[in-house]
Amino acid sequence: IGNANAKFDRAKLLAFNTQTAETATPERLLAALRDYLSVNSESPLNQATDEQLRQLLQMKKGFRTLREVDELCRFFFHDDNAIVFDAKAVEKVLKKDNNAGLSALKEVRDLLAAASVWQADPLEAIVKQYIETRGLSLGNVAQPIRVAISGTTVRPPTFQSLEFLGQTRVLTRIDRCIA
């Protein structure tokens, strides 16, 4: 027992919340997210099925709050033509180094269009094979893809996001970004 007054530590509370979410069952996390969404009716995640919400929670492991899951995953439920591209992300990822990111995005777009299996692991293998032949890093290609599909650089894992959106929506978003 210390002599100092008790204080409320928000950082510690977030750490406890993260730890609790990591140990919770998928059913408990889904119920918590549904409760959160019931009082956040403006969230596009309200359109999601339970299976889709389970996928989002799985993709966003290590989240601190349910609001974080909501905010980072909203782009999945936006209309493909409504994605707003963050100007800083476009400059940093697509236009930097004489449009290197945009060039990589154009090339990898054709590879993704030819993909016969639309699942995270095979898609990642396609991109890794591409970066090996070009002598690039994963970030040189994954970040442009991420900007194209979400409008920004901070989102759930790229290849799981591709799988979640589906081939048609991904290609539509990439084409729009290139244009």
Side-chain angles (χ1 to χ4, degrees), residues 9 12 26 33 49 59 74 80 90 96 98 118 146 158 172:
D9 187 342
K12 190 170 276 194
L33 184 55
T49 65
M59 272 191 253
R74 286 178 176 218
D80 298 332
V90 169
K96 188 177 176 181
N98 201 24
W118 198 263
R146 186 174 283 159
T158 301
T172 299

Side-chain angles (χ1 to χ4, degrees), residues 41-170:
S41 58
E42 81 289 348
S43 172
L45 271 67
N46 280 301
Q47 303 169 38
T49 65
D50 284 353
E51 183 56 36
Q52 288 174 319
L53 291 177
R54 280 188 196 94
Q55 286 179 287
L56 297 178
L57 288 165
Q58 183 66 29
M59 272 191 253
K60 200 60 198 108
K61 276 189 178 281
F63 65 87
R64 298 180 322 165
T65 64
L66 293 169
R67 176 172 283 307
E68 183 181 317
V69 174
D70 178 20
E71 290 173 353
L72 292 176
C73 295
R74 286 178 176 218
F75 77 97
F76 287 119
F77 301 96
H78 289 161
D79 183 72
D80 298 332
N81 293 318
I83 297 296
V84 177
F85 299 103
D86 177 61
K88 289 180 183 176
V90 169
E91 284 297 321
K92 180 180 176 183
V93 175
L94 298 175
K95 292 185 176 181
K96 188 177 176 181
D97 296 330
N98 201 24
N99 294 331
L102 192 57
S103 297
L105 185 61
K106 288 177 183 177
E107 291 178 4
V108 83
R109 186 255 182 239
D110 293 334
L111 296 174
L112 293 174
S116 58
V117 177
W118 198 263
Q119 294 174 336
D121 291 338
L123 293 171
E124 185 173 1
I126 289 169
V127 171
K128 283 186 175 180
Q129 183 179 11
Y130 168 78
I131 64 174
E132 287 173 12
T133 61
R134 297 287 192 270
L136 301 171
S137 71
L138 184 58
N140 295 133
V141 180
Q143 282 294 69
I145 293 171
R146 186 174 283 159
V147 170
I149 66 170
S150 71
T152 188
T153 58
V154 181
R155 292 294 174 230
T158 301
F159 302 106
Q160 291 175 337
S161 296
L162 294 177
E163 181 179 341
F164 188 91
L165 282 170
Q167 190 172 25
T168 303
R169 293 186 71 201
V170 166

